[in-house]
Amino acid sequence: MTGVDRDTENVTLTALLARIAQGERDAFSDFYERTSARVYGMVLRVLRDPGYSEETTQEVYLQVWNNAEKFDPKQGSPLSWLITLAHRRAVDRVRSEQSGTEREAAYGASSWYGPFDAVSEEVTRRGDTSDVVDCLGTLTEVQQRTVVLAYYGGLTYREVSERLSVALPTVKSRIRDGLIRLKQCLGVQFDG
């Protein structure tokens, strides 16, 4: 892009942001059409996940819609402002995902393995897997699939979520509820 083209683009985008600040949807649509490929590309380079990148790009444009009046052309070009917003959003998303993963790991270590270990220990103590098979039969079909994939298939909760195309919190709830039912069926007593 030549300097003249860049100057023209800056003038056009600045004018569109001013109109967006006034609530003009057509200006927003035009601004989006002119800039979304670059924003999405930058976000994708940071997140490396198309789904998260699409969501984050939408969040960036929502932020543009809500904060267009905050753009100050004296501080830089509209595109640099937009890319800065996008980069910050993408980095925040990475941090949020890392934090969520760490919370899941901590929660999993403190909550999930206790009931399973108690069930596993009880089965080992009894030496009777037929009771476990019978008790697995008392679970709902979805609980049974999640528990079997996680504990017999060796998948992580995230892998179970992806395999079943179900949200991660839903998988966790199904496994927790399934383990509680297994404990009750096996008559396992534990503290936790």
Side-chain angles (χ1 to χ4, degrees), residues 100-157:
T101 300
E102 290 168 5
R103 277 193 311 275
E104 284 174 29
Y107 181 75
S110 66
S111 301
W112 293 99
Y113 296 115
F116 176 72
D117 288 344
V119 170
S120 178
E121 288 171 16
E122 183 66 15
V123 169
T124 301
R125 187 184 66 74
R126 290 184 188 180
D128 189 357
T129 57
S130 67
D131 287 346
V132 174
V133 172
D134 291 343
C135 287
L136 276 171
T138 67
L139 304 180
T140 66
E141 184 179 329
V142 292
Q143 286 173 338
Q144 192 177 86
R145 277 197 322 214
T146 55
V147 168
V148 167
L149 285 171
Y151 291 102
Y152 296 103
L155 300 180
T156 66
Y157 298 131

Side-chain angles (χ1 to χ4, degrees), residues 163-182:
R163 172 87 52 97
L164 298 178
S165 300
V166 175
L168 185 60
T170 303
V171 167
K172 289 179 178 180
S173 293
R174 288 177 181 172
I175 290 173
R176 183 192 66 235
D177 294 345
L179 292 176
I180 289 170
R181 279 179 110 167
L182 282 174

Side-chain angles (χ1 to χ4, degrees), residues 56-115:
T56 302
T57 299
Q58 288 176 359
E59 293 169 2
V60 168
Y61 282 98
L62 180 61
Q63 188 175 0
V64 167
W65 177 256
N66 290 326
N67 298 297
E69 75 281 353
K70 293 182 180 178
F71 170 70
D72 182 0
K74 295 174 192 159
Q75 300 291 320
S77 74
L79 194 55
S80 66
W81 177 73
L82 179 63
I83 294 299
T84 300
L85 291 177
H87 187 262
R88 287 179 182 160
R89 271 282 173 191
V91 169
D92 286 349
R93 183 67 178 252
V94 168
R95 289 179 180 149
S96 175
E97 289 299 316
Q98 286 174 337
S99 176
T101 300
E102 290 168 5
R103 277 193 311 275
E104 284 174 29
Y107 181 75
S110 66
S111 301
W112 293 99
Y113 296 115

